[in-house]
Amino acid sequence: MSTRKSGRIWRPALLLLTLPPGWALGDQSVDDSFSLVLEVRYCECAVINPDGPQGALPKGFLEDSNLLRADVADDGSGSVSSDDVSLTFKVQDVEDSPGTYRFNYSGSYTSGTGDSSSQADLILTEGQWVPLAQTGHDDEALFGVAARLVDPG
């Protein structure tokens, strides 16, 4: 095979590699590709409200926390991470209960008080915030993590 023929094969491939992402395959929005998004909020603050109803987040948590978002793949799996939080998860529909999901996760967290981890198998209702982890005590620095599943639209 001559060099010229070989160059003809590689030029189109190199052109495709240099195109902006999404151009060759068509621009796809998150809304079209995924049916759910996992939102994770975390901060150096409490996520469990001992004086409120079970599952209610403390006042100011949503405003004071950082937000991470992860698409839930077609098989229900996903992951999300930052410098402080790393979370892998699996989401499954609960049969005969629309908007309710089985949520299995494993997470690790880094805060001013050190490193910690958690894992659990939970039932989530779409849109409802659920505390995943809280480290520390009232007299020391707290670090809290909460998550919810939402429709990307």
Side-chain angles (χ1 to χ4, degrees), residues 4-16:
R4 179 172 282 180
K5 287 182 182 177
S6 175
R8 288 182 189 160
I9 293 171
W10 286 104
R11 284 186 191 132
L14 289 174
L15 175 63
L16 284 174

Side-chain angles (χ1 to χ4, degrees), residues 27-132:
D27 190 22
Q28 297 179 350
S29 69
V30 173
D31 298 354
D32 294 336
S33 302
F34 300 95
S35 59
L36 286 173
V37 170
L38 178 71
E39 292 185 344
V40 177
R41 287 202 166 267
Y42 65 96
C43 68
E44 298 240 1
C45 59
V47 70
I48 298 170
N49 186 356
D51 300 326
Q54 185 177 3
L57 300 176
K59 184 177 179 169
F61 177 81
L62 295 177
E63 294 80 18
D64 296 339
S65 59
N66 299 299
L67 174 65
L68 296 173
R69 291 175 54 107
D71 296 320
V72 178
D74 289 339
D75 68 355
S77 65
S79 64
V80 63
S81 65
S82 70
D83 290 341
D84 301 317
V85 173
S86 178
L87 195 76
T88 58
F89 60 90
K90 180 81 172 179
V91 176
Q92 297 172 323
D93 290 324
V94 173
E95 193 173 325
D96 297 327
S97 188
T100 304
Y101 304 93
R102 184 176 185 161
F103 177 69
N104 182 284
Y105 79 93
S106 177
S108 59
Y109 321 104
T110 302
S111 69
T113 60
D115 297 330
S116 62
S117 63
S118 68
Q119 62 183 30
D121 193 13
L122 308 170
I123 299 296
L124 299 182
T125 301
E126 186 175 330
Q128 176 186 8
W129 284 103
V130 175
L132 299 183

